[in-house]
Amino acid sequence: MASETPTGPASGPGTGPASGTSLQVLRRLDTGPRGLTDAEAAARLATHGENAPPRPRTPSALRRFPRGLRDPFTTVLLTLGLVSAFVASWGTAAVILALVAVSCALRAAGERRADRSLAALRELVAGTATVLRRTDDTAAPRAHEVPVADLVPGDVVRLGPGDLVPADVRLLRAHGLTVSESALTGESAPVAKAAAELPRPLAESHLCFQGSAVVAGGATAVVVATGAHTRFAAAQRTPEARVPSAFDRSVHGIAWVLVRFMLLTPPLVLMAGAALRGRGLQTLPFAVSVAVGLTPEMLPVIVTTCLARSAALLARTRRVVVRRLPALHDLGAIDVLCVDKTGTLTQDRPEAARSLGPDGRDDPEVLRWAAVGAWWTLQLAELPVPDALDEALLAVAGAVGEEYDGLAALPVAPGRRLATAVVAGRPGRHLLITKGAAEDVLERCELPDGERRRLLALAAREAETGQRVLAVATAERPARTRAYTPADERGLTFRGLVTFHDELAPGAAESLRTLAALGIRVHILTGDHPATAARVCREVGLEPGDVRIAGGGDAQGRADATPARTGVVPAGTATVVARCTPEDKARVVTGLRAAGHTVGFLGDGVNDVAALLAADVGIAPRGAVAVARESADVVLAEKDLTAVGHAVTAGRSSSANIAAYLRVTLSSNLGNVLAMLAAGLLLPFLPMLPVQVLAQNLCFDAAQLAFAHDRPAPSELRRPTVLRPPAFLRFITGFGVLNAFADLATFDVLALALNGPDALDDQAVFHSAWFTENLLTQALVMLLLRDGRRLARGGRPGPVGWAAAFLAAVGLALPPSPLGTALGMTALPAPYHLLLAAVLGLYALALTVAASRHARRRP
């Protein structure tokens, strides 16, 4: 049985189990080129655990429930409920505490559904690896597929094109192996790998790390680290803390203003009652009821319901998983979306664009020579897998190369940026076709220095337009049987250049137009050349209005230099930040947020984690690395901007309903509270009994549940929805004062009808009239302040309209009912209804005028 093996991360040469020659590594891991036996693998799996990155602990339902108390309004409600219980106002306390419990339960249930959906996505991306295993020590090894989670240190695995590297491995044999490490490093260019341990700075060329992907070639490797000990897992252990999101900042700003007002209300009522009416502590239940009346009790329930419904709809119809419910509001508020170029705007699949002769003019013969070289490099390679440029050449040139007889191939290798195919030419002659990086190919061509500099400048000009450039050269040699080597790549004849550009992602242009129509400006953060990114922008219909280089000087534009916010998003423009490192991406996002923008970031690699956490909304596709998915707030089925547009629309729909609820309830509640405070000072009795205040709040709260099911006007979805505390507080103050005037007008009418306030002895009539007037004014507010714009154009009543009608019916029917009698109310004589109708008519007219003026001032 094999002894326990070390599992430290493969951190580089000279350290950990991956250092030394391949033989030394095999001995250290107590394994061999034939792999482990099934028994050894099972024992090591029991010792070291599954080969899976550490997943965050999913909190239980009992832990999720109290987390809902972090919401400031929920905390305020809990405090008021406890105060109500302390003063023996049991009915008020029971209702308030029930609302707190419902809100926490809904939020916990929504988060649990999101976690289950994400777990299902994880299962979809679980993969397998090809491993060599033996039944016993004497049996021959056999290659078969096992789950990646079952790999252990010492396993010998095989890697081929398209495979994900399943663990940290040390190469034993490699054939033309190139690996994409973009998920770890952010570098888009594949990295060449070799089994030999090379001197620095290529010291890690013999190592491949979990999270990488094989682009071309193949290899056999031994697993040196799994699970939590891989470099991939190490990148997950130090995530940056998330800063408060736009939703958190806006709600907390409004909440704390209301909290301060609510804390002042009970003492003011108590002192005024004691000083003017000698009632003292007798008014404490009424004071608590007034404070409760200012609180938007249903806000936690409505917010959670709106967001949970939208999240469920997105998951069901668009396969978009919202992991953190408030992120939906942040999605609706974003005005800047930061994305990478590769995989988002382009498919990372190059396409041949032009072939240029040495004079810089179009020459199709250059493309033909390059395709012949690609064909025979493919045919003569040990593993017949073309790289991306070869595929692009063959796709354009068609059936070429078969007219020659292939003889040899010198493929790309570590430290070598060109490839050569040798074919039979004229009788007794061999033809070398070399293609590769312009500098490397021109260095091997027989050219005067001035001509070489001119051709290098030509290649540089093509690269500056955003193209990838491949140089092509040929040479004729006498036929021979001796093998060809890189030393034969001398004295070449330069044929020309072939340029490539990345193929656009399907639907990218349409998706960007949709985002522009939604008022979202795109920032492209890429590690590529700025000209390449600018060209892609133009191809998808964007105008690269600002192109900067990350980390550059002022002349180039710094990565964190953000233009001042104008409030208007120029449609069809984009900011490009090129040469981005992972740190640059996070710095750009942080700078944008500091400038007042609400930022979304779409990323899929380990190098994107810092930016995902720095953004208001982190977005990752299902195929992203695990740490990126776990760091994201929203997970997409595919890396598709169209899905982002649908998610933004869903977020804005939820936010518009939440904002409408807050506008209605806070302006109405503020008006009622101001009127109650004034009436408490003017009347010889309480303007409304605490139980009546509670009943009124219950009716109003029940009606406002309709906002969670309303459909906002299309105009509300065409711009970012942000709750700006100063503007919001000005709105509710203005309409709250208007509501208070309506209540005070009701007092005056009732005083006149009952021969003055000091002569009032029929408290039941007064309480009943004001109860009815309050519910009718609240019904009017629900209709006229629904979204600030529907008044002018009309529209179907929808859930809110029917709820307002229900509220008005309750206000008229409850006082004369047996329940109204139990609450201390009575039926109103007909003249009182006429007086109330006159007051309500004037209030409706004033509210209509004010709402129309506000709607015209909004952008």
Side-chain angles (χ1 to χ4, degrees), residues 251-597:
V251 170
H252 284 214
I254 297 171
W256 284 112
V257 172
L258 295 176
V259 167
R260 295 186 187 101
F261 191 85
M262 283 185 286
L263 291 176
L264 288 174
T265 299
L268 287 175
V269 173
L270 289 174
M271 289 186 294
L276 298 179
R277 298 294 178 181
R279 290 193 287 259
L281 292 177
Q282 299 172 354
T283 60
L284 182 58
F286 175 73
V288 172
S289 299
V290 170
V292 172
L294 182 62
T295 307
E297 297 99 330
M298 298 302 294
L299 178 64
V301 176
I302 287 179
V303 166
T304 306
T305 303
C306 283
L307 298 180
R309 289 183 71 249
S310 293
L313 184 64
L314 278 175
R316 186 172 63 252
T317 62
R318 304 294 179 184
R319 299 179 66 199
V320 174
V321 177
V322 180
R323 301 186 62 238
R324 186 178 61 88
L325 284 182
L328 257 182
H329 176 89
D330 296 335
L331 269 172
I334 64 172
D335 58 346
V336 172
L337 178 65
C338 296
V339 301
D340 193 4
K341 174 183 70 68
T342 303
T344 306
L345 304 183
T346 67
Q347 299 187 68
D348 198 23
R349 189 166 65 235
E351 187 177 43
R354 298 179 65 195
S355 56
L356 307 175
D359 57 358
R361 297 179 180 177
D362 290 336
D363 185 352
E365 192 67 11
V366 179
L367 177 64
R368 189 184 73 83
W369 282 119
V372 171
W375 171 261
W376 282 110
T377 302
L378 167 64
Q379 297 301 317
L380 300 173
E382 294 185 39
L383 291 174
V385 179
D387 65 14
L389 296 184
D390 285 345
E391 288 180 335
L393 287 170
L394 296 173
V396 173
V400 296
E402 297 182 8
E403 65 272 24
Y404 296 95
D405 291 328
L407 302 174
L410 302 174
V412 175
R416 172 181 163 84
R417 300 192 299 166
L418 72 166
T420 295
V422 183
V423 300
R426 293 181 300 163
R429 309 291 287 180
H430 288 173
L431 186 63
L432 279 68
I433 306 171
T434 301
K435 58 182 176 60
E439 297 85 352
D440 296 59
V441 172
L442 285 168
E443 181 184 351
R444 291 162 173 78
C445 289
E446 197 171 294
L447 292 168
D449 290 342
E451 179 67 4
R452 183 177 287 107
R453 286 194 297 270
R454 184 187 70 80
L455 293 172
L456 284 172
L458 173 63
R461 284 196 301 272
E462 292 298 320
E464 288 173 357
T465 65
Q467 309 282 337
R468 297 167 70 176
V469 180
L470 188 73
V472 183
T474 63
E476 200 172 57
R477 299 282 191 268
R480 73 187 197 199
T481 57
R482 180 168 50 89
Y484 283 90
T485 69
D488 295 303
E489 298 168 331
R490 292 289 184 270
L492 306 178
T493 300
F494 182 73
R495 293 290 184 174
L497 305 172
V498 180
T499 63
F500 302 82
H501 60 78
D502 287 336
E503 188 174 348
L504 297 180
E510 179 63 29
S511 299
L512 289 170
R513 285 193 291 270
T514 300
L515 292 175
L518 292 172
I520 298 174
R521 183 165 184 172
V522 175
H523 279 52
I524 298 173
L525 313 183
T526 178
D528 285 339
H529 191 283
T532 302
R535 179 191 56 77
V536 170
C537 286
R538 285 188 288 269
E539 288 186 354
V540 297
L542 289 174
E543 182 59 36
D546 184 13
V547 181
R548 293 176 258 154
I549 298 178
D554 290 337
Q556 295 170 314
R558 294 175 299 143
D560 57 349
T562 306
R565 185 172 189 167
T566 63
V568 178
V569 179
T573 63
T575 295
V576 177
V577 184
R579 309 287 193 191
C580 269
T581 65
E583 294 76 16
D584 290 329
K585 292 181 181 180
R587 188 160 54 249
V588 169
V589 170
T590 302
L592 287 166
R593 293 189 67 189
H597 295 280

Side-chain angles (χ1 to χ4, degrees), residues 186-272:
E187 296 292 336
S188 59
V191 179
K193 298 288 185 176
E197 186 172 358
L198 300 179
R200 295 178 186 275
L202 300 174
E204 290 187 339
S205 62
H206 61 296
L207 302 176
C208 293
F209 303 103
Q210 185 182 47
S212 305
V214 178
V215 176
T220 301
V222 61
V223 174
V224 296
T226 60
H229 299 286
T230 62
R231 180 173 295 189
F232 179 81
Q236 305 183 42
R237 287 197 283 267
T238 56
E240 297 181 11
R242 180 179 293 278
V243 294
S245 67
F247 180 81
D248 298 329
R249 295 193 302 270
S250 57
V251 170
H252 284 214
I254 297 171
W256 284 112
V257 172
L258 295 176
V259 167
R260 295 186 187 101
F261 191 85
M262 283 185 286
L263 291 176
L264 288 174
T265 299
L268 287 175
V269 173
L270 289 174
M271 289 186 294

